[in-house]
Amino acid sequence: MTLKEQQDAQVAMDTDLSSASKLAFPLLAVVQATLIFTIVMIGIPLPDIGREFGLQASDLLLVSTAYGLPFSGLLLFGGRLTDRFGGLKLFTVGLCVFGLASAVAAFSTHFNMMVAMRFLQGVGAALTAPAAVAVLRTLFPDPSAFMRAMATWGGVSVLGGGVGFLASGVVTTWVSWRWMFVVPVIIAIIGLMAVKWVLPKDEDSQTVKHKIGLDPLGALLATLGISIGSYGLIASGELGWSTPVVFVPVLVGLCLIALFLVAERRVNDPLLPKGFIGEPNRIVGLVGILLAAASMGLVTFLLSLFLQIQQNWTPLETAGAFVPYTLTLLIMNQAASRIVGRLGALKVTISGLVIGAVGLSLLAGIHQEVTYVSGLLPGIVILTLGTSLMFSGSAVLSTMNVPQHQAGLAGGVMNTSMELGPTFGLASLMVITGIASDVVGGYSLAFATAAGIYVAAALLAWLITRRRYQSTVQTASEQSG
């Protein structure tokens, strides 16, 4: 393709994206951001919730994980339901469950009620997230325009987490934690209104409806395996790996996932079709999303502990420390689609890994007397630049060449990777923090290890895709010969 043809295609995609997305795309993006916002919104007010309900540490862990466990565990099945019944229908059902659970959670009178409503929020989110991707695919039927939209979509999710973290600090300081649930309620209502008046109808799509099976056994094994295993990983941060509460769920989860993989080979219409994840671009994209989510979860968690415990910052001051993080995400999100369009999703993802490694290396210099402006801020900003590029490029790679009838599956797999990132990353790297002789030294070691993982992932991504490129060239040469 000549330079002029590339420029014409770029203009055409920009026009398609801007004309089709005047209202529908921003609404879908806000819903997606809110699903991630809801994960982190009780992080800072968790101690207040514990005091109000008289909770122990184990109870707080359950409150914290009650949303994320069903969210991550049900995403694959949510994707299958979307592909079977249509994106708009599942989007509607998911938002209804999500919004109602959020409203009831705001008025929780005891611990069990709070956990139950957070669990239902997660169920609603697991239906909504893959359905939103399917609706997005209908909104942008042209593959190139859809990829441009996904480049922006990738940054939307992490932006929701950043805003949730800031909002939780403000709300905890000035009002009550219960007001945090107003946001998901309002967004759910707006999303449901958009279903009626703004979003494209499923039947308007020109694609053929594929009647696929639901694979209930695969759905059950995947949901239980991911959810139970994730609970064990999360509990490891509080209880350590030597307790049965940690290693038993992890082992059970691994066994269930292994059974899921075996069972998928024996059904005609598996929940996860053979070869879907094995495509090289998709592997790079899913790993990129997992690492980006893991690193940002690690940074917000460790720096929050450091600032509040080691530096005696208030919750509001701690939230304010992440304002540059959120502003950087906002700026990068505006530029993401153009950057991916110019450089390509793969180059953007690899560049993001390298830039992110630099940011993590700077944060690895953390010590007891470090100052925020000169010691922490540069690393936060550079890491945010890198992870923003990773999310944008990886979202495109994860959904590349996906037909309409598998859009829900692609959304489910992509969001599963995003949800597992912080869980897997924190569990793994928190083990490393225990090796150091002091707490802050452990933080430094965790950041340094994460930087090394980023570099290794960038190199692996380059090797995987280069090998595929060489194989393609060789095949073309043999065919022409």
Side-chain angles (χ1 to χ4, degrees):
M1 181 181 287
T2 65
L3 178 61
K4 186 178 186 305
E5 288 174 334
Q6 290 178 346
Q7 292 174 341
D8 291 342
Q10 179 80 15
V11 172
M13 285 187 288
D14 286 341
T15 302
D16 193 0
L17 187 61
S18 61
S19 61
S21 63
K22 288 181 179 178
L23 193 55
F25 179 78
L27 283 171
L28 288 170
V30 168
V31 169
Q32 172 67 14
T34 304
L35 300 181
I36 308 303
F37 169 97
T38 308
I39 296 175
V40 303
M41 71 180 193
I42 66 167
I44 289 181
L46 201 58
D48 289 350
I49 295 173
R51 284 190 291 270
E52 182 170 332
F53 291 147
L55 305 180
Q56 303 296 322
S58 58
D59 297 328
L60 289 177
L61 178 64
L62 194 55
V63 172
S64 178
T65 60
Y67 175 82
L69 293 180
F71 189 5
S72 60
L74 282 168
L75 276 167
L76 285 179
F77 190 51
R80 171 52 57 94
L81 290 173
T82 294
D83 292 334
R84 173 67 183 270
F85 298 107
L88 206 63
K89 292 178 182 178
L90 265 293
F91 187 77
T92 303
V93 173
L95 279 182
C96 287
V97 175
F98 179 73
L100 287 172
S102 300
V104 176
F107 297 95
S108 296
T109 56
H110 51 78
F111 164 70
N112 292 333
M113 184 177 179
M114 167 64 77
V115 171
M117 290 305 104
R118 287 284 287 172
F119 184 90
L120 284 178
Q121 277 186 312
V123 172
L127 299 177
T128 304
V133 175
V135 174
L136 193 67
R137 186 70 178 85
T138 302
L139 183 65
F140 298 101
D142 179 70
S144 59
F146 177 64
M147 291 299 100
R148 296 274 294 168
M150 288 306 300
T152 302
W153 190 262
V156 163
S157 299
V158 68
L159 182 60
V163 173
F165 191 81
L166 290 176
S168 65
V170 174
V171 171
T172 300
T173 302
W174 290 340
V175 285
S176 167
W177 58 267
R178 296 177 183 274
W179 284 93
M180 294 298 300
F181 290 95
V182 172
V183 174
V185 171
I186 292 175
I187 297 304
I189 293 172
I190 293 174
L192 291 172
M193 293 172 64
V195 168
K196 183 174 179 61
W197 289 300
V198 178
L199 300 181
K201 302 297 184 289
D202 290 327
E203 57 267 25
D204 291 342
S205 173
Q206 299 302 311
T207 57
V208 178
K209 292 292 182 182
H210 289 249
K211 292 300 181 182
I212 56 178
L214 293 180
D215 187 14
L217 177 60
L220 180 64
L221 292 173
T223 299
L224 292 177
I226 293 173
S227 299
I228 294 173
S230 295
Y231 178 81
L233 290 174
I234 293 169
S236 67
E238 292 282 340
L239 306 174
W241 285 90
S242 60
T243 60
V245 176
V246 173
F247 67 77
V248 170
V250 171
L251 290 176
V252 170
L254 289 174
C255 290
L256 289 171
I257 292 173
L259 287 174
F260 165 72
L261 296 176
V262 172
E264 290 296 273
R265 294 176 175 269
R266 300 175 180 270
V267 296
N268 295 326
D269 204 357
L271 189 68
L272 193 61
K274 183 180 179 181
F276 184 82
I277 292 182
E279 201 276 328
N281 280 328
R282 192 159 291 119
I283 291 175
V284 174
L286 294 175
V287 171
I289 287 177
L290 186 143
L291 290 179
S295 67
M296 297 315 295
L298 178 74
V299 167
T300 53
F301 179 74
L302 292 187
L303 291 186
S304 296
L305 291 178
F306 175 76
L307 293 174
Q308 293 188 73
I309 297 176
Q310 306 296 328
Q311 303 290 321
N312 295 317
W313 285 32
T314 66
L316 184 60
E317 290 172 333
T318 302
F322 288 90
V323 168
Y325 156 77
T326 305
L327 292 177
T328 303
L329 289 175
L330 282 170
I331 295 170
M332 290 300 297
N333 200 43
Q334 295 296 317
S337 62
R338 293 185 179 277
I339 295 174
V340 172
R342 287 177 179 272
L343 301 179
L346 179 61
K347 289 183 179 179
V348 169
T349 302
I350 294 176
S351 299
L353 283 164
V354 174
I355 294 171
V358 174
L360 287 165
S361 298
L362 292 175
L363 289 173
I366 190 173
H367 55 87
Q368 191 67 51
E369 289 76 30
V370 70
T371 60
Y372 171 76
V373 174
S374 62
L376 298 179
L377 184 58
I380 292 173
V381 172
I382 293 174
L383 174 61
T384 306
L385 285 171
T387 51
S388 182
L389 292 174
M390 287 169 63
F391 269 114
S392 296
S394 296
V396 173
L397 294 174
S398 300
T399 54
M400 186 174 288
N401 301 322
V402 172
Q404 176 69 50
H405 71 275
Q406 287 187 329
L409 172 64
V413 171
M414 182 179 68
N415 280 279
T416 299
S417 183
M418 189 183 304
E419 290 304 302
L420 290 179
T423 301
F424 179 78
L426 282 176
S428 302
L429 293 173
M430 287 305 290
V431 173
I432 295 173
T433 62
I435 299 175
S437 58
D438 62 279
V439 173
V440 179
Y443 295 172
S444 175
L445 185 58
F447 289 135
T449 303
I453 293 173
Y454 263 46
V455 172
L459 180 60
L460 184 61
W462 181 78
L463 290 174
I464 288 175
T465 52
R466 182 173 177 81
R467 177 175 297 179
R468 185 192 180 200
Y469 171 76
Q470 290 174 339
S471 176
T472 302
V473 171
Q474 181 178 355
T475 301
S477 177
E478 291 173 350
Q479 291 175 348
S480 63

